[in-house]
């Protein structure tokens, strides 16, 4: 067993954290030599799902482009699922295994630039999700009429918990066909568009024509009924399709009115919905919800807020269905712009948490949005940094949500031009369209487009768990101030109020002095996520 130690040094105090990672973590979380030489092109996942037996079986055809001539290929699949055989051009291949990683020994010459296919045959009783979507696997539930209500979820754990694939985020497949044979009388809904429903076998064929990440792929089987609408969007007419349990149809028709409001707000802030070709869907599931690409899964029990709760404590969080808005926001940040490494997961959750306040901004105004995002601060722990550990599938602090959104809200203040800020958000979705990225790329892009070097701001908020303190002393006609708890070179401009009067400062760790009028009360603008300390 190979063990890695990680030492994190934080700005003010020296906290030593030792984390142990295993060889399996490295095989799962890094671009191994057995992954690097081939580029994913196409998957055809073709399975039968048997809810009575909690059993699945079938194949995944993996088409790839050869980047470098190699012969050993890593495919991931988690036990208790088993690979039965792997073939290329009809011939069985040798497979050696190391835990969840399986190494396929190819016989044929892999000529650089050529496209090849392998077919992975597999079957078994997949891991059952006990606390979906937090743990992942299959949810084998029943609806109120006793009919099967089945769904998959696998963020974090990885899609290899239920189907064989290249289980790393850096390489997205360009398109995918998902064929699922479901029990008679039930419908399977997956990602993309329903290309064909084979009535004789009750097999549905869903085609995704855009790049998709592994954890975004899903299977949902239930006694679904359908309704939908056409949305007149920035890129034309968008099909918005909804699949809900038969008994919930009337409730859903009222509740999903939020969907078009969401689309309106997010296209305004982020640009066109990134998957017009594949449609937008909401699919009811027996768990809370997940950002499955072009088939957002929904289980917020037809309530506003988060299961009826306002995470911001301001009341604004009850104006919308949190799950519907949040998971849909991920279509731009997670499905369109996707992290390469789980360590950068804030790119999904920080931006999407931030999207909730922009939804409010669009429909209820700027003050409502500010109240909401500032209200979310009550959930920040500042325990460990937001950026996780690279190459071992390890994300950072849960603060990536609320602190992430408050970091972005703070940067909006620094940009101090809402139209410019909106163009930066739209530009991200345009310039990184359908790409997997690193946080560094996104940070540099925001610095570049805003015309400010924000590297120290990102370092402070993403790579330490320490919040800057604005320390000040005020006496007759003199304001003294400085930053505490900051990394070297941290020089974030700040808007403060002297009484009613707006005042701009650029503090540093050294004391600075400004001439002011009188001896007013000092207050940092509430939109900056920072602490203040009066040292008089
Ligand atoms: Zn999320």
């Amino acid at each position: 067993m190979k063990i890695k130690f990680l030492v994190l040094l934080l700005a003010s105090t020296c906290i030593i954290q030792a984390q142990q990672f295993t060889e399996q973590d490295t095989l799962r979380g890094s671009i191994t030599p057995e992954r690097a030489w081939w580029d994913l092109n196409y998957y055809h996942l073709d399975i039968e799902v048997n809810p009575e037996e909690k059993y699945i079986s079938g194949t995944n055809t993996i088409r790839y482009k050869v980047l470098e001539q190699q012969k050993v290929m890593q495919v991931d699949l988690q036990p208790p699922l088993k690979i039965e055989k792997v073939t290329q051009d009809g011939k069985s291949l040798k497979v050696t295994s190391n835990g969840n990683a399986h190494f396929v020994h190819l016989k044929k010459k892999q000529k650089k630039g050529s496209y090849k296919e392998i077919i992975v045959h597999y079957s078994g009783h997949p891991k059952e999700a006990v606390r979906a979507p937090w743990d992942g696997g299959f949810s084998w539930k029943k609806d109120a009429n006793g009919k099967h209500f089945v769904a998959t979820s696998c963020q974090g754990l990885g899609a290899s918990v239920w189907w064989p694939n290249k289980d790393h985020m850096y390489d997205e497949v360009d398109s995918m066909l998902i064929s699922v044979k479901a029990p008679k009388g039930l419908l399977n809904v997956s990602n993309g568009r329903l290309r064909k429903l084979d009535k004789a076998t009750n097999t549905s064929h869903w085609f995704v024509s855009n790049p998709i990440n592994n954890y975004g792929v899903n299977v949902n089987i239930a006694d679904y009924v359908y309704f939908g609408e056409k949305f007149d969007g920035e890129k034309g007419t968008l099909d918005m399709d909804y699949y809900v349990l038969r008994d919930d149809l009337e409730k859903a028709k009222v509740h999903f009115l939020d969907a078009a409001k969401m689309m309106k707000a997010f296209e305004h802030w982020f640009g066109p919905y990134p998957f017009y070709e594949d449609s937008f869907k909401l699919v009811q599931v027996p768990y809370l919800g997940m950002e499955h690409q072009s088939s957002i899964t929904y289980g917020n029990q037809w309530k506003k807020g988060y299961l009826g709760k306002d995470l911001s404590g301001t009341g604004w969080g009850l104006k919308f269905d949190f799950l519907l808005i949040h998971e849909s926001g991920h279509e731009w940040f997670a499905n369109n712009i996707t992290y390469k490494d789980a360590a950068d997961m804030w790119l999904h959750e920080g931006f999407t948490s931030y999207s909730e306040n922009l939804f409010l901004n669009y429909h209820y105004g700027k003050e409502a949005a500010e109240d909401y995002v500032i209200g979310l601060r009550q959930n920040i722990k500042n325990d460990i940094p937001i950026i996780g550990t690279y190459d071992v599938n390890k994300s950072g602090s849960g603060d990536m949500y609320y602190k992430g959104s408050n970091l972005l809200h703070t940067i909006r203040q620094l940009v101090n031009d809402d139209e410019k800020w909106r163009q930066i958000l739209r530009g991200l979705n345009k310039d990184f369209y359908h790409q997997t990225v690193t946080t560094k790329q996104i940070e540099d892009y925001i610095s570049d487009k805003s015309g400010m070097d924000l590297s120290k701001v990102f370092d402070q908020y993403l790579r330490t768990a320490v919040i800057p303190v604005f320390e000040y002393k005020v006496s007759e006609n003199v304001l003294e101030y400085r930053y505490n708890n900051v990394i070297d070179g941290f020089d974030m401009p700040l808007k403060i109020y002297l009484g009613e009067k707006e005042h701009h400062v650029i503090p540093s760790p050294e004391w600075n002095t400004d001439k002011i009028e009188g001896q007013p009360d000092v207050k940092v603008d509430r939109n900056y996520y920072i602490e203040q300390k009066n040292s008089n």
Side-chain angles (χ1 to χ4, degrees), residues 155 291 326-327 330 348-349 352-353 401:
Q155 191 182 17
E291 62 257 31
H326 177 93
E327 304 307 340
H330 278 306
H348 295 194
E349 300 304 348
T352 300
S353 177
Y401 288 79

Side-chain angles (χ1 to χ4, degrees), residues 310-317 353 356-357 360 367-380 402-403 405-406 409 526-527 529:
D310 175 10
L311 295 175
S312 77
T314 62
W316 290 112
S353 177
E356 298 153 20
N357 96 90
L360 283 168
E367 202 179 333
E370 289 174 355
D371 287 350
Y372 178 82
V373 67
I374 293 166
L376 289 179
R377 287 178 195 163
Q378 66 182 357
N379 306 307
I380 299 172
Y402 316 112
K403 189 174 168 185
S405 56
N406 271 283
H409 185 63
R526 68 174 188 145
N527 293 298
Y529 177 48

Side-chain angles (χ1 to χ4, degrees), residues 227 229 242 252-262 324:
F227 69 107
E229 61 185 309
Y242 312 123
K253 279 183 173 171
V254 178
H255 203 79
F256 284 176
L257 292 174
D258 266 5
K261 283 178 75 180
M262 171 282 295
L324 195 163

Side-chain angles (χ1 to χ4, degrees), residues 43 49 61 72 81 93 126 159 162 164 175 191 228 263 265 271 283 497 509 524:
Y43 284 136
V49 177
T61 300
V72 183
L81 291 175
L93 301 168
W162 68 277
S175 65
N191 316 71
M263 199 55 77
V283 185
Y497 288 94
V524 174

Side-chain angles (χ1 to χ4, degrees), residues 76-89:
D76 306 279
L77 183 70
Q78 300 178 29
L81 291 175
K82 278 205 176 87
I83 291 182
E84 286 154 3
K85 64 173 175 176
V86 181
T87 62
Q88 186 160 58
D89 298 328

